[in-house]
Structures are given as structure tokens and as C-alpha cells.
């Protein structure tokens, strides 16, 4: 799963989830979960704006979803460990969330989602934001 950058270096969206979360595998038909797609990486001056398309596949709304996320630099070293607040995720609805980082896009080689730091909502099963988490990224060439 890569997002090709102008420099030819891929931007990967990956997941490392706790063993109790069951890992990030392809979502089985009929199983609920959250899907996160890295949709775009847009240069904004010396910063990089990452756009994600998120869908809550559960029957219940997620009131707040916060994911622990790691950005790796072009040398493969951790550049930033942060919490991304995807806010509320209504059941069955797509949402776009954007985050800006003080790194150039070509300086980011991977985006790693460690798992959900916060996941709230009435009627959600345990681990709703981590179990069945499906990650993907679109291959796009960045302009400029």
C-alpha cells in the first residue's frame, strides 16, 4: 500500500496493533470495523498536509476516535509520534480528515498507525476502533 511521491519514494500507510486487537487484516464481508485510507499528501510550503478518508462500518456512531500515529522520515527514522483526532465518525458514513505536519512531504516515508488511543461511543463493541481496522493508501503523484 503506497502513495508514490514526486521523489519516487513511496509513502506507506501501515498498522501495528496490539495482539488483543487482532491485527490489521482485510475486512471480512459482514464484519464491522473502521477503514482508513491515506488519500493524499499535499505540500504546503515546508509542511505536508495528509488527507485521510475514514469510514465507520459499525452500526453505532463513534463519538471520538483518536489514533496513535508515527511518521517516519526518508531515512526510516521516527520523525514524529503523535495522536491524530479523527473526531466523531457517524455509522456507515464517509468522513475526510486532514492533518498538517511540519515536515516536507518528500521527507515522510511512512505513516504508521499503532492503534486507537481513544474510542468512544454508545453501543460499540470492545476494541471497535482497532479490531478489523483496514488501512489502505492511494497511489498519487504530487504536483510541484
Amino acid at each position: 500500500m503506497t502513495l508514490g511521491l514526486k521523489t519516487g519514494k513511496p509513502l506507506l500507510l501501515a498498522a501495528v496493533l496490539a495482539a488483543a486487537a487482532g491485527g490489521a487484516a482485510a475486512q471480512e464481508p459482514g464484519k464491522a470495523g473502521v477503514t482508513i485510507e491515506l488519500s493524499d499528501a499535499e505540500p504546503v510550503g515546508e509542511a505536508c498536509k495528509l488527507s485521510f478518508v475514514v469510514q465507520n462500518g459499525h452500526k453505532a456512531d463513534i463519538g471520538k476516535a483518536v489514533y496513535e500515529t508515527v511518521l517516519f522520515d526518508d531515512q526510516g527514522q521516527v520523525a514524529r509520534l503523535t495522536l491524530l483526532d479523527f473526531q466523531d465518525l457517524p455509522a456507515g458514513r464517509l468522513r475526510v480528515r486532514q492533518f498538517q505536519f511540519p515536515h516536507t512531504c518528500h521527507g515522510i516515508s511512512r505513516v504508521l498507525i499503532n492503534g486507537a488511543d481513544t474510542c468512544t461511543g454508545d453501543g460499540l463493541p470492545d476494541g471497535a476502533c482497532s479490531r478489523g481496522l483496514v488501512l489502505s493508501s492511494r497511489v498519487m503523484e504530487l504536483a510541484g
Side-chain angles (χ1 to χ4, degrees):
M1 293 179 268
T2 64
L3 175 67
L5 299 178
K6 184 179 168 196
T7 62
K9 294 180 182 176
L11 181 61
L12 303 172
L13 178 63
V16 174
L17 301 173
Q27 209 169 36
E28 297 174 28
K31 285 228 172 183
V34 174
T35 60
I36 301 175
E37 175 187 90
L38 177 58
S39 177
D40 195 15
E42 178 184 351
V44 180
E46 291 297 312
C48 185
K49 180 170 58 175
L50 298 181
S51 298
F52 296 88
V53 177
V54 186
Q55 183 164 17
N56 171 8
H58 295 286
K59 292 180 181 178
D61 292 346
I62 295 173
K64 185 173 185 74
V66 179
Y67 287 91
E68 182 179 275
T69 306
V70 183
L71 301 180
F72 290 86
D73 65 19
D74 56 359
Q75 302 298 309
Q77 301 298 313
V78 172
R80 178 175 291 267
L81 174 64
T82 190
L83 297 174
L84 298 183
D85 186 352
F86 284 84
Q87 304 168 358
D88 63 311
L89 301 172
R93 306 255 324 260
L94 286 175
R95 288 288 188 249
V96 174
R97 301 292 188 243
Q98 296 179 318
F99 304 94
Q100 189 165 309
F101 300 96
H103 305 280
T104 61
C105 290
H106 72 269
I108 300 172
S109 64
R110 282 190 297 162
V111 177
L112 173 76
I113 294 184
N114 282 334
D117 178 76
T118 303
C119 184
T120 63
D122 293 334
L124 290 173
D126 288 341
C129 291
S130 294
R131 282 198 188 118
L133 177 64
V134 176
L135 302 172
S136 64
S137 63
R138 290 185 155 289
V139 176
M140 304 178 93
E141 291 297 320
L142 296 178

